[in-house]
Amino acid sequence: MRGYLVAGNWKMNGSNASNRALVEGIVAGVPSSSDVQLLVCPPFPYISSVAGLIEGSPVLLGAQNVSAHASGAFTGETAGSMLQDVGCEFVIVGHSERRALMGETSKTVALKFKAALDIGLKPILCVGETLEQRESGQTKTVIDEQMNAVLDEVGIDVFSDAVIAYEPVWAIGTGVTASPEQAQEVHRHIRRLLESHNAGVAERIKILYGGSVKGDNAAGLFSNPDIDGGLIGGASLKSDDFLAIAEAAASLS
Ligand code: PEP
């Protein structure tokens, strides 16, 4: 039983005041099911204060990005050791916004994934195709390229400490969600790819779905055998919306 992980990617949103209201709401409403874990990923400047707000609760903490380097002259970058120092357990790598807007290649993403693992952070590796790639039948080829870049860099064994998020780019922030069948098909493909390297790791790893998940579509997605929760953008910014997704997971566990 892998259990569910519901992770909030706050992106570049929030303030001290709004974060407090959001986190207090989440902490007050954490589902009692021990099979559902909640994770919040605030912007860098707020990680420490959010760490204080979740203290004593089961809510987990993560970051949205990490440097591929351990330390040194990399102005504006943040090392994995720093994230760990301020209480992060997870870090998102390879989000499609970073791939598309910041020019991160699959090789860069693989190096960040490795840097996170090297320091003991759990990377959440995002993979996913654009609408154009889906419509031209390239979905699995794109996923394979993004996955294989990381597998080539770090090997299969360390995936035990990682999470994967399948996020079709066309579903992120658009209000268009992949159907449960579309999502399950790609999740199954990802698990089979991992299985071809190590069946145990493939069975244990959590594969999240991300892309316009809401309280009213979460159960339909999460009830599929290879979908182990969600990476949530827009709906992670209001505690009621985020908790509705967590409750959908809890209702299935
Ligand atoms: C995301 O950015 O990871 C995401 C899934 O966003 P949204 O839920 O808003 O589609």
Side-chain angles (χ1 to χ4, degrees), residues 219-232:
L221 289 156
F222 299 171
S223 59
N224 285 277
D226 291 296
I227 303 183
D228 309 308
L231 181 55
I232 319 298

Side-chain angles (χ1 to χ4, degrees), residues 9 11 95 97 167 171-174 210-214 231-235:
N9 172 15
K11 309 195 186 187
H95 192 280
E97 287 154 14
E167 298 209 306
I172 295 178
T174 58
S212 299
V213 180
K214 306 270 184 291
L231 181 55
I232 319 298

Side-chain angles (χ1 to χ4, degrees), residues 41-54:
C41 301
F44 287 136
Y46 298 121
I47 290 175
S48 282
S49 58
V50 171
L53 293 168
I54 62 172

Side-chain angles (χ1 to χ4, degrees), residues 91-226:
V91 63
I92 298 169
V93 297
H95 192 280
S96 65
E97 287 154 14
R98 297 208 60 84
R99 291 182 193 258
L101 305 175
M102 317 295 166
E104 289 191 9
T105 63
S106 290
K107 175 74 177 175
T108 312
V109 173
L111 294 173
K112 291 184 173 204
F113 185 97
K114 182 174 187 306
L117 283 169
D118 283 349
I119 202 74
L121 288 166
K122 295 181 180 131
I124 300 176
L125 170 64
C126 300
V127 296
E129 81 289 0
T130 63
L131 186 59
E132 196 184 359
Q133 288 164 336
R134 173 164 281 265
E135 287 178 345
S136 60
Q138 296 297 301
T139 298
K140 289 177 184 165
T141 311
V142 170
I143 301 293
D144 288 352
E145 185 276 323
Q146 294 172 343
M147 289 292 304
N148 285 330
V150 182
L151 281 163
D152 290 348
E153 191 65 39
V154 299
I156 183 68
D157 292 347
V158 291
F159 270 77
S160 292
D161 298 317
V163 173
I164 294 170
Y166 168 55
E167 298 209 306
V169 178
W170 47 272
I172 295 178
T174 58
V176 178
T177 314
S179 69
E181 295 74 24
Q182 286 173 318
Q184 167 60 23
E185 186 187 355
V186 179
H187 281 236
R188 169 62 52 87
H189 177 76
I190 293 170
R191 207 177 296 282
R192 286 216 173 119
L193 172 65
L194 295 171
E195 209 173 78
S196 69
H197 294 268
N198 183 319
V201 171
E203 181 54 33
R204 282 190 301 276
I205 195 166
K206 283 189 174 74
I207 306 178
L208 313 182
Y209 167 79
S212 299
V213 180
K214 306 270 184 291
D216 59 5
N217 60 24
L221 289 156
F222 299 171
S223 59
N224 285 277
D226 291 296

